Amino acid sequence: MEKYLRENFDVEPKRPSNDALTRWRLAVSVVKNPRRRFRMVADLAKRAESERKRRELQEKIRVAIYVNKAALHFIGGIGSTITSEKQASYILSKEVREAGFGIEPDELASIAGPHDNKSLEHHGGIEGLARDLSVSLKDGVVSSDIPVRQNIFGLNRYVEKPSRSFWMFVWEALQDLTLLILIVCAVISIGVGIATEGWPKGMYDGLGIILCILLVVLVTAISDYKQSLQFKKLDKEKKNIIIQVTRDGCRQKVSVYDLVVGDVVHLSIGDQVPADGVFVSGYSLSIDESSLSGESEPVNVAEDRPFLLSGTKVQDGSGKMLVTSVGMRTEWGRLMVTLSEGGEDETPLQVKLNGVATIIGKIGLAFAVLTFFVLTARFLVEKLLHNTITDWSASDAMELLNYFAISVTILVVAVPEGLPLAVTLSLAFAMKKLMSDKALVRHLSACETMGSASCICTDKTGTLTTNHMVANNIWICGKSMQINGRENEGVLKASVSEIVFNHLLQSIFLNTSSEVVKCKDLKQNIIGTPTETALMEFGLLLGGDFNAYREDYKILKVEPFNSVKKKMSVLVALPGSGGFRAFCKGASEIILQTCDKIINADGKAIPLSEEQRKNITDVINGFACEALRTLCMAFRDIEDASNLDSIPDDGYTLIVVIGIKDPVRPGVKEAVKTCLAAGITVRMVTGDNINTAKAIAKECGILTEDGLAMEGHEFRSMSPHEMKELIPKLQVMARSQPLDKHTLVTQLRNVFKEVVAVTGDGTNDAPALHESDIGLAMGIAGTEVAKENADVIIMDDNFSTIVNVARWGRAVYINIQKFVQFQLTVNVVALMLNFICACISGSAPLTTVQMLWVNLIMDTLGALALATEPPHDGLMKRPPIGRNAKFITRTMWRNIIGHSIYQILVLLILTFEGKRLLKLTGSDANSILNTVVFNSFVFCQVFNEINSRDMEKINVFRGMFDSWVFLIVMVSTVCFQIIIVEFLGTFANTVPLSWELWLASVLIGAASLVVGVIIKCIPVGPTQNPAKHHDGYEPLPAGPELA
């Protein structure tokens, strides 16, 4: 079975090949309801069509942009004439005029989309456009105008397919072929029954089947509908982007859905452009338009090329844009509405369980056909023996119809349609719970794969630490001091000259990507990265005025910080003197290398001697060993105005070394310990100083005595063989570049066959997130590019949340195994019981209605009970599930076979010896016995469901009362069973039972708990002497041979 599954039903968790997806689809057979079974499966034909349309649209957009550029360039004069004529005949609609705007929505949309510079110039450029939109470029939109703007220019939403109603799910559930056959049988049964037995007695059997089918359909539809609502809510959350705008003169964060035309949006590296717009201001703004036009070359956006298109990404730089079109008036909106995604790729477990369902379905079909032939053959033989083969009546036809219905019902029970859908149910439940625990799962398969993670490569800043940074120590002009609030201003001013103090404040306030802005409560707030914010707070503590420095100095050029250069540089024009000054700041050792001078206490730049360089390095290392992030600030005066195209890379004068404190998050040490106990290796990959990284890693419990810490440049220079020797010991990589992280992930996956989870927040982390088995993007510090390439977004940037995702991933896998064990046991028992009884007695012990109820218990209700169990601590005390581990393990086979033998034996004894054992006499003895058999069978499944809660441990009740879904399903099943037996006997062919027989049925079911204990004592092959833990929990065997 395992070999068959691997050959036909094996797909990769990420980016599975089309061949693998097609192969398993072709291998699936015996499907009762294709529409329901394959609802959560990608439509490959639609996907191919969607890709073709996307390429065509990208080509059209690209051609339109280039044609428009060419036309405007070569026929500028004619273009001006046409534009003038167009504007002369241009009349505003009454609604636009009354709303106070000077431009129509369609006219506005035709500016940015086609890159129409002439129209922009005609409207007076960006300032004129702002006037037409009644907006201030400085203060942004007035909040009270938002409803008017949404009414005139539209909402920032794309047209989506309407969600399916509940009745569509009911209709889908009714597409089950076996249920349709049973409905036909029921209708015939009602017709023949009324004709032979009269009204209303003749209709009970058929009506009972129809009512039971309706119950099955209703419960199935409710379950599927609730799942669809969960996925829709999660899908909306995935598309929700938080952006920064200026409104009412204040900087604030808003949802992309709330964006309106006229908004002034702030963009930085890694952001997605949320709407069409025009450039207001910024530095080195570079846009990746490949998602829209297919062009891989980035586009530099500036005043001469001011157009920004929705859906594109900021590759470098920063800037502000004025929104001109939103929603369906943007090029991106028109692109999105034309495309049909074709669904998300199915997960490996979904595919595997489709394979299991196919195998069992084939066996079930064989047994159903065999049962029908056996029953029919016995019936015909009896007629031959009684010489009535030529004498046929309506009751004979009803008998054959009943045999057919029983066979179809066996097929209903035998084909485990709910197996693949149980994965979806479990994943939906886990995703909902993880959402409330601050983890947004973007791809279904990630939730599943995380349970197999054997290695986590994590960032330091913000993930292991709080990301609430404060400047803690500084070294300036040969003096080191600790920062203790406002008193530092006086101490610093007393120890250095005014020139040095002024240079320090210039470096802080001019060389920064952060801003001091006014918030809604009119208080000043710092907007920027945590490091920038810490520096800005330090500058303000020293009494500096951010806005005053920004007004006095004109910024000419900015080179934003990136993870490769590890520095930020800025070029400014000095007031009055006409000179220029460059500032740079960044990783301490990198900035120190660019310096050949140092500023002394008198404010003079003196040559930097080797001894001073060594002393400064010792200061940097001293700060780093105290777990402080260190950075240096430097400046360089430029006299020659002819060479201002680039910011110099050397010749700087060192101003200051700053140590920034970023404490370890509470709970991280315990989370790392949990990972190690679970067999998950944690590796820190950071861009920080190696001493800082080592200090934090030791505090978190990542770096051990025999572990290895090294820098990225050392790792890069190694040969593949050296890497193979070193990686198992590697625990910390400092001063790493994104390429180092990508290389490490590739080696771990390809050479060591590890299942790797990787965290990332920057645009340059995208390749590593894409390459990993599970990409984890940071929700707070992460860029939109990183989030788009990730599988899970950690909303609170907390390492403990990552561990929680791993815990839920394991829970999903184990829960599906529990459900498979439970369902296969019911399948085996139902098949064998009906077949053996059909062969021996010529009749099936369970009627069609009873079998449909059993199918409901084991399919939808069983999945609800077992596939939604929350994780327990024991899951993180066992090794991760290997890449090639068998899904149906020896332990599961042992449990399935053991419980099946017990149930089959007990139920067969009851069926054939029940009257004697239970001392049943009288005319209704057969009806009572059949009811007892049915009742005992159901209670066997109820207690088997409890048994399935843990496949290894004897105590199956632990944590049961924490799973409210499981308890509700159990109570509902028992209550409805009582109603069926006691009150619905007319339809279900049951009779009310005495309390003694109820007790007997419950005890027969409960005995399976004792049987379960005995079965679990049977060894299942060689084990690796798993270590016992303090709570008595034993890890399951793991590896390619054992699960």
Side-chain angles (χ1 to χ4, degrees), residues 549-566:
Y549 275 95
R550 283 300 176 106
E551 286 168 10
D552 292 345
Y553 295 83
K554 185 184 178 184
I555 296 174
L556 304 175
K557 191 172 183 63
V558 175
E559 286 182 2
F561 179 89
N562 66 50
S563 52
V564 177
K565 288 184 176 180
K566 299 195 186 298

Side-chain angles (χ1 to χ4, degrees), residues 389-685:
I389 192 69
T390 55
D391 185 14
W392 290 82
S393 63
S395 61
D396 291 335
M398 280 291 288
E399 192 72 20
L400 286 173
L401 184 66
N402 185 43
Y403 293 159
F404 182 69
I406 286 169
S407 300
V408 172
T409 313
I410 286 173
L411 195 59
V412 171
V413 177
V415 179
E417 203 82 332
L419 277 183
L421 299 168
V423 181
T424 310
L425 177 67
S426 188
L427 290 171
F429 184 78
M431 286 169 78
K432 182 184 174 185
K433 290 293 183 184
L434 282 169
M435 187 67 204
S436 62
D437 289 344
K438 305 294 183 187
L440 173 62
V441 180
R442 294 186 74 252
H443 300 130
L444 271 177
S445 59
C447 200
E448 191 180 289
T449 313
M450 197 63 193
S452 300
S454 56
C455 173
I456 299 174
C457 295
T458 177
D459 287 331
K460 175 184 75 68
T461 308
T463 309
L464 300 171
T465 60
T466 59
N467 220 12
H468 296 147
M469 299 193 193
V470 180
N472 195 76
N473 291 64
I474 66 164
W475 181 92
I476 187 165
C477 300
K479 295 177 183 176
S480 184
M481 63 183 77
Q482 199 161 4
I483 298 164
N484 301 307
R486 282 277 176 195
E487 60 266 25
N488 286 107
E489 181 184 353
V491 174
L492 194 60
K493 276 187 173 178
S495 58
V496 299
S497 69
E498 187 67 28
I499 297 171
V500 176
F501 192 75
N502 198 29
H503 274 68
L504 175 60
L505 291 180
Q506 283 177 30
S507 183
I508 290 172
F509 291 134
L510 298 175
N511 188 19
T512 181
S513 60
S514 62
E515 293 179 61
V516 179
V517 298
K518 191 170 64 179
C519 291
K520 284 185 179 179
D521 56 6
L522 301 181
K523 288 182 180 178
Q524 283 194 330
N525 189 28
I526 300 167
I527 301 287
T529 64
T531 307
E532 295 275 21
T533 303
L535 293 173
M536 193 69 81
E537 283 174 348
F538 176 51
L540 296 174
L541 272 175
L542 295 176
D545 185 338
F546 172 78
N547 292 320
Y549 275 95
R550 283 300 176 106
E551 286 168 10
D552 292 345
Y553 295 83
K554 185 184 178 184
I555 296 174
L556 304 175
K557 191 172 183 63
V558 175
E559 286 182 2
F561 179 89
N562 66 50
S563 52
V564 177
K565 288 184 176 180
K566 299 195 186 298
K567 68 175 183 176
M568 177 181 180
S569 305
V570 65
L571 182 67
V572 302
L574 299 175
S577 68
F580 304 93
R581 183 169 290 160
F583 293 97
C584 76
K585 70 175 180 193
S588 305
E589 54 269 44
I590 291 171
I591 300 299
L592 187 58
Q593 283 175 5
T594 67
C595 296
D596 55 15
K597 290 184 281 294
I598 185 169
I599 196 165
N600 65 13
D602 299 325
K604 294 178 180 176
I606 59 172
L608 184 63
S609 67
E610 282 305 313
E611 187 181 347
Q612 283 177 311
R613 194 180 292 273
K614 184 178 179 301
N615 289 339
I616 295 166
T617 304
D618 290 341
V619 169
I620 292 167
N621 291 335
F623 284 0
C625 289
E626 293 175 35
L628 300 178
R629 294 194 81 182
T630 64
L631 54 87
C632 289
M633 291 182 170
F635 76 96
R636 174 179 168 179
D637 286 327
I638 301 169
E639 303 297 335
D640 185 9
S642 62
N643 190 24
L644 298 178
D645 292 336
S646 62
I647 302 173
D649 289 324
D650 52 22
Y652 283 88
T653 302
L654 183 68
I655 304 170
V656 68
V657 179
I658 299 182
I660 297 174
K661 190 175 181 64
D662 184 14
V664 171
R665 280 182 186 271
V668 163
K669 190 170 184 178
E670 291 74 16
V672 170
K673 194 176 178 182
T674 301
C675 282
L676 297 175
I680 302 171
T681 306
V682 182
R683 291 180 170 89
M684 180 199 287
V685 184

Side-chain angles (χ1 to χ4, degrees), residues 127-284:
E127 288 81 9
L129 210 56
R131 280 195 301 274
D132 287 343
L133 291 171
S134 303
V135 67
S136 160
L137 292 175
K138 182 184 176 185
D139 296 333
V141 167
V142 178
S143 293
S144 56
D145 290 349
I146 289 172
V148 178
R149 291 178 184 276
Q150 288 178 332
N151 185 43
I152 299 293
F153 298 105
L155 298 167
N156 197 26
R157 293 173 188 268
Y158 310 125
V159 174
E160 293 180 351
K161 286 195 298 184
S163 54
R164 293 191 297 177
S165 68
F166 170 72
W167 299 109
M168 281 299 295
F169 286 94
V170 172
W171 174 248
E172 203 172 73
L174 274 168
Q175 302 304 302
D176 191 315
L177 180 62
T178 52
L179 293 185
L180 292 173
I181 293 170
L182 286 177
I183 289 171
V184 172
C185 291
V187 170
I188 295 170
S189 175
I190 290 170
V192 176
I194 291 172
T196 54
E197 299 179 46
W199 174 274
K201 191 182 176 184
M203 59 173 268
Y204 288 148
D205 285 348
L207 188 61
I209 294 171
I210 289 173
L211 289 174
C212 207
I213 287 170
L214 288 176
L215 178 67
V216 169
V217 165
L218 204 61
V219 171
T220 302
I222 290 169
S223 175
D224 292 349
Y225 180 61
K226 286 189 76 177
Q227 272 182 59
S228 77
L229 291 179
Q230 283 181 14
F231 280 120
K232 189 168 180 65
K233 185 181 175 184
L234 287 163
D235 194 50
K236 186 180 178 184
E237 197 64 41
K238 280 191 281 188
K239 292 175 183 174
N240 187 20
I241 300 169
I242 301 300
I243 50 178
Q244 290 196 5
V245 298
T246 297
R247 284 184 183 173
D248 302 317
C250 306
R251 180 83 76 89
Q252 50 192 278
K253 293 179 180 179
V254 299
S255 165
V256 69
Y257 299 125
D258 298 328
L259 199 69
V260 294
V261 167
D263 263 324
V264 176
V265 177
H266 299 260
L267 298 171
S268 55
I269 295 177
D271 285 350
Q272 178 172 308
V273 179
D276 285 1
V278 289
F279 177 78
V280 176
S281 63
Y283 304 101
S284 311

Side-chain angles (χ1 to χ4, degrees), residues 93-101 134 145 148-149 152-153:
S93 65
K94 183 183 174 184
E95 292 87 352
V96 172
R97 203 167 50 250
E98 287 178 353
F101 301 119
S134 303
D145 290 349
V148 178
R149 291 178 184 276
I152 299 293
F153 298 105

Side-chain angles (χ1 to χ4, degrees), residues 13-15 439-443 445-447 449-450 453 455-459 741 745 749 755-761 765-779 785-795 802 805:
K14 282 179 82 169
R15 302 178 298 280
L440 173 62
V441 180
R442 294 186 74 252
H443 300 130
S445 59
C447 200
T449 313
M450 197 63 193
C455 173
I456 299 174
C457 295
T458 177
D459 287 331
K741 189 186 281 189
V745 171
R749 289 188 75 231
V755 178
V756 186
V758 172
T759 69
D761 51 18
D765 286 327
L769 291 169
H770 189 261
E771 174 65 24
S772 65
D773 292 287
I774 313 104
L776 304 159
M778 299 297 108
V785 173
K787 290 174 188 176
E788 199 175 80
N789 282 276
D791 305 295
V792 181
I793 299 171
I794 307 301
M795 308 297 280
I802 298 171
V805 175

Side-chain angles (χ1 to χ4, degrees), residues 62 147 207 236 858 909 922 977:
R62 191 174 66 82
L207 188 61
K236 186 180 178 184
M858 77 165 194
I909 291 167
Q977 179 65 16

Side-chain angles (χ1 to χ4, degrees), residues 360-373 411 835:
I360 296 166
K362 287 176 180 176
I363 296 167
L365 179 62
F367 268 89
V369 171
L370 202 56
T371 303
F372 178 70
F373 279 127
L411 195 59
F835 179 69

